[in-house]
Amino acid sequence: MVWFLVFLVWWCGASAIPSPAAGGSYIWKCPKILQQPVVECTCDMPHTLRCIGDRSSMPIISRTLRSPNSPSVSLLDCTVQNVSIITGPLLEGVSLHGLVISSGEIREVSQAAFKGLGSPLQALGLPNNKLTSVPIIALRFLPELDRLDLSSNKLKNLDINSFKGLKNLSFIDVSNNIISRIAPYTFTKLQNLKMLRLRGNKLKLSVIMKLNPMSYIEEIDLSENLLVGPLEPKTFPRMDSLRDLQLSHNLISSIKLGALEGLTNLTALSLHHNQIDVIEDHAFIHLAMLLVLDLSHNRIVAVSGASLAHLNKLTDLNLSNNYLRALTADLISPLKSLNILKLNDNDISIIASDALRNITIIKQLSLSDNPLNCDCSLQDFSNWLNNSPLSKKDKESAVCATPPSLENGLLIEIASENLICGEDEQENEAPPMMSALKNKISLKEFKYDGDTVVLIWKIEEEGIPYSCDAIYVYEEQFLSEVLVESTPLKCNSSSLERPYVS
Ligand SMILES: *[C@@H]1O[C@H](CO)[C@@H](O)[C@H](O)[C@H]1NC(C)=O
Ligand SMILES: *[C@@H]1O[C@H](CO)[C@@H](O)[C@H](O)[C@H]1NC(C)=O
Ligand SMILES: *[C@@H]1O[C@H](CO)[C@@H](O)[C@H](O)[C@H]1NC(C)=O
Ligand SMILES: *[C@@H]1O[C@H](CO)[C@@H](O)[C@H](O)[C@H]1NC(C)=O
Ligand SMILES: *[C@@H]1O[C@H](CO)[C@@H](O)[C@H](O)[C@H]1NC(C)=O
Ligand SMILES: *[C@@H]1O[C@H](CO)[C@@H](O)[C@H](O)[C@H]1NC(C)=O
């Protein structure tokens, strides 16, 4: 269970645990609890007791741990079968730092479940159960709780009372529930809250936007939710201490000018597996502290010169699995601190001769699965690559797709004099995507009245069915094409009366 790793790391810092070094001859022994088929406990590390049992196992565990001779246990992790209600008091008089109870079935926690524990509990986990709301009344007995894990339950909403009185909470994990609503003030009074895991719920951007500012929080995971639409300046409330924001596996569509203006101290932003096609100029003007940016698995066709401006500190950029077509100096030049650049699985055929000229501290660059056109325009890049400090693997990631004579050749193995222009003119006439469509679609009419462009396409029968997604407008700038506009457009040949000409 992932939760435990976190738990145990935190554990190392706890000073209350007697250690052999501090205690001289003290050697910790695992308490013996074995009463088959009712309960069986083991210790895989000191002070950590893991038990598997049925509904009558808790009183046995409790009795053993309460006895004066029992070795001290810090973390008790119980898997109890056939239990849908935790009744209490469960562990009266037992001193623990952390308690985890999973049954797969727990729907309810009785009000007195955690009453009378021998010492204040600091971590509670009830993951993998069927709770539909935070058992707030039961939690009243745990005012010093630091970590709460309610992941993989059936929580629907969080509201202002969900964590009432739990002022010491620094970590909340409610991942993998079905949360769709969070009241704006839910976390406002949790002044120690540092980490909030909301992954795998049903949250929309409109809910996030309305949350109150949180000045203390450092890390939020909102991956795998229903975040749909652009990232705008006010999409997130102000969070001055936020360092790490995870938004992967959502449906975010673009990054607007001045996005996330309230997150000025953000150092890591993860946006992989979204549907981002456009990053507006100066999108990151408020995010100048970013070190790590993951934009992989999106629909980015081009990054304009100013899109990545202000990211002077960025060390790690992942743009793999997009639709980039060229690598230009434009993209790279704002990134003065870049160490790692991932560009694998794009449509890059062109690398401008000056693209990497100013990049001095790059350590990793991956270009695999791009259709490089290995002509004379790649000579400078080829030289750069040969003399770069990149690993052999990275150097070998640049593979030619064209011209046919160099197909599948490693760029670093091709002598400069073999990177030539002018022999395969016809190869370069149409981009690869268009040549695949050559016999299916053709431009029938073109009109421009100084203001509007009208394009009429003829589509042959073998081109049907088709659908369209968006109109991209590019501007040709020397070697590269720069995306200047993207407009969503929905069409589907199945729903058109005359699908042939559209
Ligand atoms: C307990 O649950 C298991 C499956 O989890 C089931 O096979 C068993 O019959 C249940 N026992 C009782 C007493 O309900
Ligand atoms: C809980 O918070 C209070 C005040 O907010 C503080 O005095 C106390 O030390 C904290 N307890 C723990 C275990 O951190
Ligand atoms: C956030 O950044 C500002 C400067 O931009 C700084 O003054 C402030 O201390 C930072 N806040 C935190 C909590 O790190
Ligand atoms: C993107 O690249 C970084 C390393 O630069 C890596 O840590 C991260 O996992 C990658 N993202 C995905 C989705 O693979
Ligand atoms: C490289 O850096 C120099 C000096 O900072 C600058 O004048 C030049 O425009 C840069 N070239 C590119 C391609 O970014
Ligand atoms: C187009 O419409 C048909 C029928 O309505 C549907 O089955 C198909 O998935 C649609 N295609 C796209 C790409 O949306």
Side-chain angles (χ1 to χ4, degrees):
M1 200 182 301
V2 173
W3 195 74
F4 276 110
L5 294 175
V6 176
F7 208 119
L8 294 169
V9 167
W10 168 77
W11 224 249
C12 298
S15 56
I17 301 170
S19 70
S25 62
Y26 176 87
I27 293 170
W28 189 80
K29 272 214 207 96
C30 186
K32 201 162 177 205
I33 305 177
L34 176 60
Q35 196 169 319
Q36 268 166 343
V38 179
V39 59
E40 178 171 0
C41 300
T42 54
C43 301
D44 50 16
M45 55 196 297
H47 307 282
T48 299
L49 186 65
R50 301 193 200 280
C51 302
I52 297 178
D54 69 11
R55 54 198 320 143
S56 45
S57 58
M58 287 314 289
I60 299 171
I61 297 166
S62 180
R63 211 178 312 126
T64 310
L65 295 183
R66 201 164 41 224
S67 81
N69 308 330
S70 167
S72 79
V73 168
S74 288
L75 172 61
L76 173 61
D77 170 16
C78 297
T79 304
V80 281
Q81 276 139 17
N82 309 79
V83 171
S84 61
I85 301 178
I86 301 182
T87 52
L90 199 59
L91 293 158
E92 220 169 4
V94 178
S95 291
L96 292 171
H97 282 110
L99 172 64
V100 180
I101 304 178
S102 292
S103 80
E105 298 294 325
I106 296 168
R107 287 160 208 280
E108 206 182 313
V109 181
S110 81
Q111 301 192 2
F114 307 117
K115 193 176 164 197
L117 287 172
S119 67
L121 197 68
Q122 288 171 22
L124 175 67
L126 299 170
N128 304 307
N129 288 303
K130 290 187 175 156
L131 297 171
T132 55
S133 64
V134 179
I136 184 61
I137 299 180
L139 297 180
R140 268 191 327 202
F141 291 99
L142 308 174
E144 296 201 23
L145 207 60
D146 175 75
R147 304 173 70 93
L148 178 61
D149 177 2
L150 296 173
S151 61
S152 301
N153 276 281
K154 307 267 183 233
L155 305 181
K156 292 191 193 91
N157 306 317
L158 298 178
D159 64 43
I160 189 162
N161 292 318
S162 293
F163 306 102
K164 197 173 177 183
L166 299 176
K167 289 203 166 69
N168 286 40
L169 273 185
S170 72
F171 172 98
I172 297 177
D173 189 347
V174 286
S175 311
N176 301 317
N177 279 278
I178 47 173
I179 299 168
S180 61
R181 282 191 295 138
I182 301 181
Y185 291 91
T186 302
F187 306 108
T188 312
K189 289 200 170 156
L190 304 179
Q191 302 274 336
N192 292 304
L193 187 61
K194 302 248 183 313
M195 206 184 286
L196 183 54
R197 301 231 164 116
L198 289 161
R199 165 185 287 262
N201 280 289
K202 302 201 175 297
L203 292 165
K204 298 194 171 152
L205 283 178
S206 54
V207 174
I208 305 302
M209 206 177 288
K210 288 189 197 118
L211 291 179
N212 262 35
M214 295 182 250
S215 57
Y216 32 83
I217 199 145
E218 292 173 3
E219 190 181 328
I220 299 183
D221 186 354
L222 273 164
S223 312
E224 295 170 38
N225 274 280
L226 301 175
L227 308 181
V228 181
L231 285 187
E232 296 180 331
K234 306 261 185 230
T235 302
F236 276 73
R238 191 170 157 188
M239 294 187 270
D240 288 336
S241 308
L242 196 70
R243 297 287 149 86
D244 191 329
L245 179 60
Q246 292 163 44
L247 300 174
S248 62
H249 292 277
N250 279 291
L251 297 165
I252 292 167
S253 58
S254 65
I255 309 180
K256 299 280 187 193
L257 164 72
L260 310 178
E261 66 177 13
L263 310 184
T264 50
N265 284 337
L266 201 64
T267 57
L269 176 59
S270 177
L271 283 163
H272 64 84
H273 293 93
N274 276 282
Q275 301 191 343
I276 296 168
D277 54 7
V278 174
I279 303 172
E280 289 191 354
D281 287 357
H282 306 288
F284 298 105
I285 194 165
H286 299 296
L287 303 180
M289 304 297 273
L290 270 185
L291 302 175
V292 178
L293 177 59
D294 194 341
L295 287 164
S296 62
H297 297 272
N298 276 287
R299 300 178 171 180
I300 301 167
V301 183
V303 180
S304 87
S307 310
L308 301 179
H310 316 286
L311 295 175
N312 301 340
K313 296 196 172 177
L314 198 72
T315 60
D316 192 333
L317 175 62
N318 195 340
L319 277 166
S320 69
N321 297 85
N322 278 285
Y323 302 121
L324 293 174
R325 300 168 64 175
L327 177 57
T328 59
D330 239 16
L331 189 158
I332 310 268
S333 57
L335 309 174
K336 304 265 184 283
S337 311
L338 201 62
N339 277 178
I340 303 177
L341 176 59
K342 297 222 165 154
L343 291 166
N344 42 292
D345 284 287
N346 276 277
D347 292 330
I348 297 172
S349 59
I350 301 165
I351 298 178
S353 56
D354 60 351
L356 294 147
R357 193 169 288 161
N358 278 358
I359 229 176
T360 47
I361 52 170
I362 195 135
K363 297 198 182 99
Q364 284 183 37
L365 169 68
S366 55
L367 274 166
S368 55
D369 297 296
N370 280 290
L372 291 185
N373 179 32
C374 295
D375 68 6
C376 63
S377 69
L378 243 52
Q379 280 177 357
D380 282 349
F381 175 63
S382 168
N383 283 339
W384 178 88
L385 195 61
N386 271 303
N387 298 316
S388 73
L390 300 180
S391 69
K392 186 160 176 285
K393 183 164 168 269
D394 279 356
K395 288 182 181 182
E396 291 177 352
S397 73
V399 178
C400 304
T402 51
S405 58
L406 296 178
E407 193 179 343
N408 295 326
L410 303 185
L411 182 61
I412 50 160
E413 291 179 352
I414 298 171
S416 186
E417 62 266 26
N418 292 332
L419 295 170
I420 42 180
C421 289
E423 299 217 328
D424 295 290
E425 285 300 333
Q426 67 279 27
E427 276 293 317
N428 298 332
E429 258 172 20
M433 183 190 73
M434 287 303 283
S435 58
L437 296 173
K438 212 176 230 168
N439 303 320
K440 301 175 185 167
I441 177 168
S442 54
L443 186 62
K444 186 158 172 269
E445 212 178 314
F446 171 84
K447 275 186 279 189
Y448 177 57
D449 62 5
D451 181 34
T452 315
V453 176
V454 178
L455 300 173
I456 297 180
W457 298 90
K458 181 170 192 316
I459 294 156
E460 306 297 334
E461 198 161 349
E462 57 265 45
I464 294 172
Y466 63 86
S467 65
C468 33
D469 230 18
I471 296 186
Y472 298 106
V473 181
Y474 292 89
E475 195 175 294
E476 238 174 67
Q477 293 181 359
F478 184 48
L479 267 175
S480 63
E481 292 158 348
V482 174
L483 186 66
V484 288
E485 208 185 304
S486 148
T487 315
L489 172 77
K490 293 281 163 255
C491 86
N492 185 332
S493 56
S494 325
S495 56
L496 289 174
E497 254 176 57
R498 293 167 61 221
Y500 297 93
V501 182
S502 80

